[in-house]
Amino acid sequence: RIKATADDMGFITLDVESDCHHILKMSWGLEPIMPYSEVEAPVCETFIYKLATKNLPHAACPVPCGMIKAIEVAGDMGIPRDSEIVFE
């Protein structure tokens, strides 16, 4: 579960709950984030994906993408729609 909250200055704080110890370790490094600089940056230059690179053992984890989407929506930069990955 990812909860994104905007403060009065526009910074987004993420609260992350997960059973995965890699995601929890990653979440310990989270800081309030300015949504414009995060959402508009190339993927490899975002704060979230830099944390993911340091803490996650594989690139297929969808959680960093979910964090970016939560930041986008909480910063009023995107429409709050559900996202999913479905394998058939």
Side-chain angles (χ1 to χ4, degrees), residues 8-69:
D8 293 340
M9 298 293 291
F11 285 89
I12 308 299
T13 301
L14 296 178
D15 178 37
V16 179
E17 293 179 15
S18 177
D19 292 333
C20 174
H21 69 276
H22 298 291
I23 294 299
L24 291 177
K25 183 179 175 188
M26 180 183 165
S27 73
W28 299 335
L30 290 171
E31 301 171 356
I33 298 169
M34 183 54 68
Y36 298 101
S37 60
E38 195 71 2
V39 172
E40 299 293 326
V43 172
C44 64
E45 295 178 17
T46 66
F47 177 69
I48 295 296
Y49 276 96
K50 287 178 182 178
L51 277 178
T53 298
K54 292 179 184 176
N55 294 287
L56 302 183
H58 56 85
C61 178
V63 174
C65 178
M67 290 177 173
I68 298 285
K69 187 62 178 173

Side-chain angles (χ1 to χ4, degrees), residues 52 78 86:
V86 178

